[in-house]
Amino acid sequence: MAKHSHEFVETYDGFVGYGLDRQTDEHTVHLYLQKFSDDSLMNTILKRMTDEDLAEVFDTASKMLKKYLTEPEYHQLFLKDDKG
């Protein structure tokens, strides 16, 4: 059974746009990130990204994880393990 899920992108049928209100912003970011992480898109875009682009994406994601997750949440939600 898969550990990761991307169900939101498959079921969301609401407005996609940023700046209208907080809930729409959250839905839009949720949708964009799930679409962005699609394997076929990643296989294409990663080869075209510069070393600086890769570092920027990695650093931004790492900063978000450290800022918004506790250590146990990091292990449970991101690493998908039982440690922490």
Side-chain angles (χ1 to χ4, degrees), residues 10-72:
E10 300 296 342
T11 60
Y12 182 68
D13 64 356
F15 180 76
V16 177
Y18 200 84
L20 181 65
D21 57 57
R22 175 65 189 224
Q23 184 176 27
T24 303
D25 291 351
E26 288 179 10
H27 289 163
T28 298
V29 169
H30 196 163
L31 185 84
Y32 265 52
L33 289 174
Q34 287 192 351
K35 290 179 81 61
F36 190 79
S37 68
D38 181 76
D39 286 342
S40 61
L41 176 59
M42 283 289 95
N43 289 334
T44 300
I45 201 169
L46 287 172
K47 291 176 180 69
R48 298 176 185 173
M49 291 173 74
T50 65
D51 291 346
E52 292 80 16
D53 292 335
L54 288 171
E56 184 177 351
V57 170
F58 180 81
D59 290 345
T60 299
S62 295
K63 182 173 74 172
M64 295 293 128
L65 292 169
K66 288 177 186 175
K67 184 174 183 177
Y68 296 111
L69 295 181
T70 65
E71 186 74 17

